[in-house]
Amino acid sequence: MEHNATTLSTHEHYDPVGAKLGMWLFIFTEMLLFGALFIVYSVYRYRHPVEFHLANQELNVTIGFINTVILLISSATVAMSITAMQKGNKKLTMIFLLITLLLAVVFLINKYFEWGAKIHHGIYPGSEFLLSLSHGDILFFGLYFFMTGLHAIHIIVGMVILIWVFVRVKQGRVNINRYALLENGGLYWHLVDLIWIFLFPLFYLIH
Amino acid sequence: MSGTTTTQRMPSYLEYKGRFKGLAGWLLSTDHKRIALLYLYSQITFFLAGVVMGIFMKIELMAPGQQIMGPATYNALFTVHGLTMIFLFIIPGLAASFGNFFLPIMIGAKDVAFPKLNLFSWYLFMGGAIIVLIGIFTGDGPPDTGWTFYAPYSLKTNTNVVLTVFGAFVLGFSSVLTGLNFIVTIHQMRAPGMGFFRMPLFIWAMYGTSWIQLLATPVVGITFIMVIFDRVMGIGFFDPAKGGDPILFQHLFWIYSHPAVYIMILPAMGAITEIITTFSNRVVFGYKAIAMSSLAIAFVGYLVWGHHMFTSGMSDTARLVFSLLTFLVAIPSAIKVFNWSATMYKGSIDLQPPFWWAMAFLFVFMIGGLTGLVLGSVATDVHVHDTMFVVAHFHYIVFGGAGLAFFAALHYWFPKMWGKMYNKKVANIGLLILFIGFNTLYFPMFILGIMGMPRRYYDYLPEFATPNLISTVGSWILALGLIIVIVNLLRAKKAPPEIIDNPWNGRTLEWKIQSPPTLENFEEIPVIDHGPYDLIKE
Amino acid sequence: MEEHKTHISSYGNHLFVLLCLITLTTITVAITSVQLGAFNTTAAMIIASTKAAIVLLYFMHLKFDEKIFRFMVTLVLAIYVVVIVITFFDYLYR
C-alpha cells in the first residue's frame, strides 16, 4: 500500500485462501523447528534411557497435566471465537479471545512456578549441581528448559498476535466478511497447543 | 496479444514516482522489481567481497610456506569467504534477485502475494548480513571454524561465533519468508488459464526451491540457536564432555545445508532451461519431465545429507543408505541435462551471449556433477574426504553451476530489467577469459586432492607446488574476466535507453511486456491459452 | 471462482472435541502411571498423535478446508518421519 497506484490492487485484494496458505506454510517451518528438537530429544533419550527415566521423576505430572488441559481449553475457545465471528457475533468473539488470553497467562504463571522450583533446587542449564550429575541428566534438563522455554516464547508470540487480532476485531476491521486474520491467529494458537501435546508425554510421562 | 512496441509507452518501474523519492523510493518500495534490484546489488557487492577474499587465499597458497598471512588469518579468511559467498550471495542467489523480479511477471501477476513481507525479507537479509559483519569485526576476531561451525570446536573457539551464527539465523529467517511468499504467489496468483503445467520451467524450479527453503532452513536455524545456548549457558547439546553428540550437530547442520545446495542450483537450472529453450527456438523437450525433476531433486535432495559425514563416525548402515540415496539424485539431474541437449537438437540455435553462458554452465556443471559421484560413493569418498578434491567439486557446482547461471540469467534478462543492451562482443570475450580462468583455478584442485593435499591449510608440502601455482594464476585470469564482464554491464546500464522489448525472441510472458516493465507489469492481466514455449506467430 | 459456502463448526462440536482431548490426556496419564515397560512410551505417543490429529482436523479445520492444505500437511509430516527414520539408521546401528 506504499504506492498510490497499487492501492487499488492491494486494498481491494482480499484472498483468504492465500492468507491461510501463507499461515500454514509458516506453521510448517515452526513444526520443523520443533521437529529438529524432537530429533535431538529422541537421539539422546535413545542413548541415555535410564537417566532420562530417572530425571523425569523430578518433573511434576500434576502441573504438566493442568497446563495441558489449560492449553486444550484455550484452543477450544479460540476455535469458538471463529465460530462466533462466522455467526456475526462480535461481542462473543471478543469474549472468547479474552478467555484464551487469560488461559495463556495462567499457563505462563504455572510455568513460572514450575521453573522456579527447579531453579531453586539448583537445576538449571549450566548450574554446578546439574553438571555434577550424569550426562543423561544434563541433556534431559538442558532439553527440558530449552524446549519448554522455546514453547513459552511461542505462547508469548501467540498472545501478541491474539491481542492484535482482538484490537482489529474491536475496530471492526476484522469482521464477518473478512476474518482471515482471526483464522490465522487461531491457527498459530493451535500450533502452540499441538507442540505441547507432544512435549507433555515426552517430558512428564516417562515411566 | 499484439506487440507492445507500437502502443504508447508507460513510465517504467525505474522511472515511476511513488510516494517516496530518491533512495527512499527504493528502500521503502514494495514493488517486487525494485526489491529484486535491491537484492541484486547487495548480492553482487557481497560476491565481489568474497572474490577478493578468495584471491588473497590463492596468493597465500601460491607457494609452500607462509606468503602473506599466518595460519590464524587464513582460518578466519576461509571462514568469512565461505560465509559471505554461501549465506550472502548464493543462497539468496537467483531466487531472491531474478526470482523476485520475474516470478510474478512469468505467471502474469502484478506482484508477489505479500509485497510488504517481501520488503521485510530484504531488511532481514541486510540485518543478518550486518550482524554477521559485526561478528567478524568485533569481539575476539572473526570465527575460524569454517562456514560449517562444526561442534565441538565451534563451542570452544574464542572467536566471535555467537554473533555470526545469530546473523546466519536471521538470514535463514529471511530465506524462509521469501520461500513462503513465492509458494503462495505461485498457488494463488497465476493468470487466468495458466494451469500448473502451463507455467514456465523457471517457475517450477522456483517452486521446488521455495519448498526446500521452507522445510530445511528451520532445522539449521534451531541448531544455530542451540550452539549459541551451548556457548552462552553451557547446556551441552553438542559438547561430548557433557554427554552431547557432535555428530548430531553434523546431522542437523547438513539436514539444512545439503538441501541448501539445491536452493542454490535449482533456480540456476530453471534459468538455464529458459535460456536454452529461447535460443534454440524450439519448444522445450520433455516439459513435464523437467518440471517433475525439479520436484524430485528437491525431495530426494532433502534426504541425502549424510554423504557429508562419511568419515565422521556414523554407522556403516547409515553410510550405505546415504550413499544409495545420493546416487538417486543423479537421476533427476541427468534428466535435466538430457532434456536440455534434446531441446538443442535440430534447433535453430542463436549464438547470443546468454546462450554461451549456458553452455559454459553445462560444461562445468557436468564436471562438477560427475566428480560428485566420486564423493557420493563411500569407498572413494573416504580417500578424498577433506582434500582439495572436495573444494574443487564444490566450486565446480556452486560457482560453476549456480554462479555461472547467475551471470547467464543476468545477461539473459538484462535488456528486460533495464531496457538496454550490453556490448555482446565484449560480453563473449569476458566470458571466455572467465571460463579459462575458472578451469585453470579449480581443475588443478582435483589433482591436488587425489594427490592428498588436505583442504583448509595455509601451507603445504613442496610436492604440491606446481598445481597450486597454476591454480593461483587461474584466479587472476578469472578475476580479469569478471572485471570485463561487470564493467561491460555497468557501461551498458549507463547508456541511453533503447526500445528492446524482446531482443531474443523469448516466448514466456516477460517478453510480451515493455522493457523495463511498468509498475504493474501488465496493463491488463493476460489470459493464457497455450503452453509457455509454444511457437506462435504474433 | 464461485464463493463456496464456508463450513461453520458449532459451539457444541468444539466442546465435544475438547472433551475428547481432555479424556485422551487423562488416559495417557493413567496408562503411563502403570508399569508397562516400553509399551508406555508407545501408548503415550499413539495417544499424542491421535490428539494432534484431532486438533489438526477439527480445531485447525483441515477436515473442512480446501484439500490442498490436508495434502501439504500430510506431505510435510511424511518428510519429517522419513528424516527421523534416516537419522536413526545412524544411531540404531552405531
Side-chain angles (χ1 to χ4, degrees):
Chain A
M1 275 163 262
E2 258 68 39
H3 286 295
N4 300 330
T6 51
T7 30
L8 98 165
S9 49
T10 46
H11 223 72
E12 300 301 316
H13 184 74
Y14 171 66
D15 178 9
V17 178
K20 208 190 277 180
L21 180 57
M23 193 65 214
W24 268 110
L25 295 176
F26 188 69
I27 285 176
F28 294 158
T29 70
E30 295 277 20
M31 283 178 174
L32 277 142
L33 193 82
F34 277 94
L37 287 171
F38 282 120
I39 292 179
V40 175
Y41 172 92
S42 44
V43 165
Y44 288 154
R45 180 165 167 186
Y46 173 76
R47 301 184 101 200
H48 308 276
V50 182
E51 289 98 324
F52 265 53
H53 181 179
L54 291 176
N56 150 263
Q57 314 282 322
E58 299 291 321
L59 296 188
N60 189 330
V61 180
T62 319
I63 293 192
F65 178 74
I66 292 173
N67 263 352
T68 310
V69 173
I70 288 175
L71 271 193
L72 289 175
I73 298 175
S74 76
S75 236
T77 50
V78 154
M80 287 196 264
S81 80
I82 296 171
T83 305
M85 178 55 88
Q86 285 167 330
K87 292 183 172 170
N89 193 337
K90 178 176 163 184
K91 204 173 159 201
L92 199 57
T93 307
M94 285 160 66
I95 291 174
F96 277 131
L97 282 175
L98 276 183
I99 297 176
T100 311
L101 285 166
L102 204 71
L103 290 168
V105 172
V106 176
F107 179 93
L108 286 178
I109 292 173
N110 271 345
K111 192 95 262 173
Y112 172 81
F113 282 115
E114 200 191 344
W115 272 35
K118 291 282 157 312
I119 293 170
H120 185 72
H121 288 116
I123 299 177
Y124 54 91
S127 76
E128 251 174 68
F129 174 65
L130 186 57
L131 290 182
S132 70
L133 299 176
S134 72
H135 285 170
D137 286 305
I138 299 175
L139 291 170
F140 180 85
F141 285 106
L143 281 166
Y144 164 75
F145 278 104
F146 193 76
M147 291 177 81
T148 56
L150 191 67
H151 180 259
I153 291 175
H154 279 77
I155 295 260
I156 294 169
V157 172
M159 286 169 71
V160 172
I161 293 175
L162 288 184
I163 291 171
W164 182 38
V165 172
F166 180 83
V167 172
R168 285 299 177 108
V169 173
K170 194 164 184 231
Q171 289 170 340
R173 294 180 67 172
V174 168
N175 52 47
I176 187 166
N177 293 318
R178 36 190 307 161
Y179 54 88
L181 188 67
L182 175 65
E183 281 192 301
N184 281 348
L187 280 178
Y188 192 83
W189 194 256
H190 295 311
L191 166 80
V192 174
D193 187 21
L194 213 55
I195 292 162
W196 186 260
I197 285 178
F198 285 98
L199 285 179
F200 173 60
L202 287 179
F203 279 106
Y204 294 80
L205 301 178
I206 321 174
H207 286 289
Chain B
M1 234 177 298
S2 61
T4 41
T5 35
T6 48
T7 52
Q8 193 203 346
R9 295 186 75 81
M10 303 270 292
S12 75
Y13 74 102
L14 293 166
E15 303 150 348
Y16 177 78
K17 299 273 185 294
R19 207 165 77 197
F20 304 102
K21 288 192 202 80
L23 195 61
W26 285 84
L27 295 180
L28 297 174
S29 167
T30 53
D31 177 11
H32 67 102
K33 297 179 287 297
R34 288 197 170 194
I35 295 171
L37 290 196
L38 289 178
Y39 270 115
L40 187 70
Y41 293 141
S42 24
Q43 281 175 272
I44 290 183
T45 311
F46 295 132
F47 169 69
L48 292 177
V51 168
V52 171
M53 286 182 249
I55 287 174
F56 277 118
M57 282 157 67
K58 286 319 293 182
I59 294 176
E60 171 54 40
L61 290 180
M62 195 160 67
Q66 180 170 339
Q67 311 300 317
I68 53 169
M69 64 182 90
T73 319
Y74 187 80
N75 288 353
L77 204 59
F78 74 66
T79 303
V80 179
H81 168 79
L83 284 172
T84 316
M85 286 301 208
I86 288 174
F87 288 113
L88 301 179
F89 171 58
I90 205 68
I91 281 184
L94 284 87
S97 48
F98 300 109
N100 243 319
F101 200 106
F102 289 105
L103 186 138
I105 300 182
M106 287 169 104
I107 60 172
K110 293 188 172 181
D111 208 320
V112 292
F114 309 115
K116 283 182 188 169
L117 188 69
N118 201 15
L119 181 64
F120 179 63
S121 306
W122 182 75
Y123 276 100
L124 275 181
F125 173 66
M126 290 311 281
I130 289 168
I131 295 173
V132 171
L133 282 179
I134 293 174
I136 291 169
F137 290 111
T138 59
D140 294 317
D144 56 353
T145 57
W147 75 280
T148 48
F149 298 110
Y150 270 9
Y153 182 64
S154 59
L155 309 178
K156 302 285 176 213
T157 172
N158 289 322
T159 52
N160 210 346
V161 167
V162 171
L163 259 189
T164 320
V165 156
F166 182 68
F169 173 80
V170 176
L171 289 169
F173 203 18
S174 153
S175 177
V176 163
L177 293 179
T178 305
L180 185 156
N181 217 335
F182 286 173
I183 294 177
V184 179
T185 309
I186 292 173
H187 270 276
Q188 297 298 111
M189 305 191 58
R190 279 168 289 127
M194 181 174 277
F196 260 86
F197 286 104
R198 278 186 184 163
M199 296 195 305
L201 287 163
F202 180 64
I203 307 300
W204 272 104
M206 288 302 308
Y207 189 64
T209 311
S210 303
W211 271 107
I212 310 177
Q213 284 178 308
L214 206 68
L215 297 185
T217 319
V219 177
V220 85
I222 196 65
T223 312
F224 282 163
I225 298 293
M226 287 162 90
V227 167
I228 293 176
F229 272 77
D230 263 7
R231 279 184 72 97
V232 176
M233 305 190 67
I235 293 187
F237 288 128
F238 305 121
D239 184 355
K242 295 172 185 166
D245 181 15
I247 297 177
L248 187 58
F249 172 86
Q250 295 189 18
H251 274 299
L252 296 171
F253 179 82
W254 289 114
I255 286 177
Y256 166 73
S257 296
H258 190 75
V261 178
Y262 300 101
I263 296 178
M264 308 168 193
I265 201 73
L266 265 179
M269 290 169 154
I272 294 297
T273 313
E274 298 296 327
I275 292 171
I276 287 181
T277 322
T278 298
F279 292 99
S280 303
N281 281 304
R282 278 199 59 199
V283 180
V284 71
F285 185 88
Y287 173 91
K288 280 196 180 168
I290 297 184
M292 288 303 122
S293 69
S294 289
L295 297 189
I297 288 178
F299 177 70
V300 184
Y302 201 89
L303 308 175
V304 301
W305 71 86
H307 64 223
H308 296 268
M309 304 160 55
F310 282 156
T311 61
S312 68
M314 272 196 309
S315 75
D316 287 344
T317 317
R319 299 204 292 175
L320 293 178
V321 170
F322 279 123
S323 187
L324 174 73
L325 288 168
T326 303
F327 280 108
L328 290 182
V329 188
I331 297 170
S333 309
I335 287 178
K336 281 189 193 286
V337 175
F338 290 139
N339 278 313
W340 291 331
S341 317
T343 304
M344 288 185 274
Y345 179 67
K346 283 190 176 174
S348 99
I349 293 176
D350 190 8
L351 291 173
Q352 299 285 356
F355 186 77
W356 285 120
W357 278 96
M359 289 305 101
F361 164 92
L362 268 187
F363 184 86
V364 293
F365 183 70
M366 288 239 301
I367 297 179
L370 292 175
T371 51
L373 298 178
V374 176
L375 298 170
S377 155
V378 181
T380 43
D381 178 76
V382 169
H383 180 65
V384 289
H385 192 91
D386 263 344
T387 66
M388 293 305 269
F389 191 91
V390 178
V391 181
H393 161 74
F394 180 77
H395 282 85
Y396 262 87
I397 289 290
V398 173
F399 187 9
L404 288 192
F406 185 88
F407 282 99
L410 191 57
H411 281 84
Y412 178 56
W413 280 315
F414 187 91
K416 179 54 65 184
M417 295 167 88
W418 284 283
K420 291 163 187 176
M421 184 55 86
Y422 45 84
N423 185 325
K424 293 178 185 172
K425 205 168 168 188
V426 179
N428 284 338
I429 294 170
L431 167 63
L432 185 67
I433 296 174
L434 190 146
F435 182 73
I436 293 169
F438 180 91
N439 288 294
T440 322
L441 166 56
Y442 294 115
F443 201 81
M445 290 188 188
F446 283 125
I447 297 159
L448 284 168
I450 303 270
M451 287 164 76
M453 177 176 165
R455 66 195 285 206
R456 293 181 169 174
Y457 282 83
Y458 84 115
D459 190 12
Y460 49 83
L461 297 172
E463 51 259 47
F464 301 132
T466 318
N468 267 306
L469 182 64
I470 297 172
S471 172
T472 303
V473 173
S475 75
W476 299 335
I477 303 174
L478 182 122
L480 176 70
L482 207 56
I483 291 170
I484 296 174
V485 167
I486 288 179
V487 169
N488 184 37
L489 291 177
L490 284 177
R491 278 187 55 194
K493 219 181 133 259
K494 281 206 177 126
E498 0 169 8
I499 292 183
I500 35 169
D501 288 346
N502 190 359
W504 319 120
N505 285 323
R507 279 155 281 156
T508 37
L509 278 177
E510 79 268 31
W511 301 111
K512 306 209 166 142
I513 56 174
Q514 75 170 47
S515 318
T518 57
L519 178 71
E520 299 217 313
N521 304 338
F522 301 94
E523 297 314 301
E524 48 188 293
I525 295 294
V527 177
I528 314 297
D529 54 6
H530 55 82
Y533 305 110
D534 291 354
L535 293 154
I536 288 173
K537 286 264 182 306
E538 300 253 339
Chain C
M1 233 197 294
E2 215 176 301
E3 190 75 18
H4 67 102
K5 218 116 170 82
T6 45
H7 175 273
I8 301 180
S9 317
S10 68
Y11 299 118
N13 209 328
H14 286 317
L15 281 177
F16 179 70
V17 172
L18 174 63
L19 209 67
C20 289
L21 289 170
I22 294 180
T23 315
L24 282 172
T25 313
T26 320
I27 294 175
T28 344
V29 177
I31 284 186
T32 46
S33 59
V34 193
Q35 292 292 344
L36 291 171
F39 180 69
N40 270 333
T41 314
T42 321
M45 288 326 288
I46 289 173
I47 294 179
S49 307
T50 317
K51 282 163 69 184
I54 292 175
V55 170
L56 281 166
L57 285 173
Y58 291 95
F59 282 168
M60 297 175 94
H61 233 247
L62 277 184
K63 190 162 189 268
F64 314 107
D65 272 341
E66 283 77 0
K67 276 204 189 89
I68 184 85
F69 294 118
R70 234 177 304 164
F71 178 70
M72 283 180 174
V73 173
T74 318
L75 201 73
V76 169
L77 292 178
I79 290 178
Y80 177 63
V81 170
V82 174
V83 167
I84 293 183
V85 170
I86 295 182
T87 311
F88 269 84
F89 271 122
D90 178 9
Y91 288 96
L92 288 177
Y93 296 97
R94 203 185 273 176

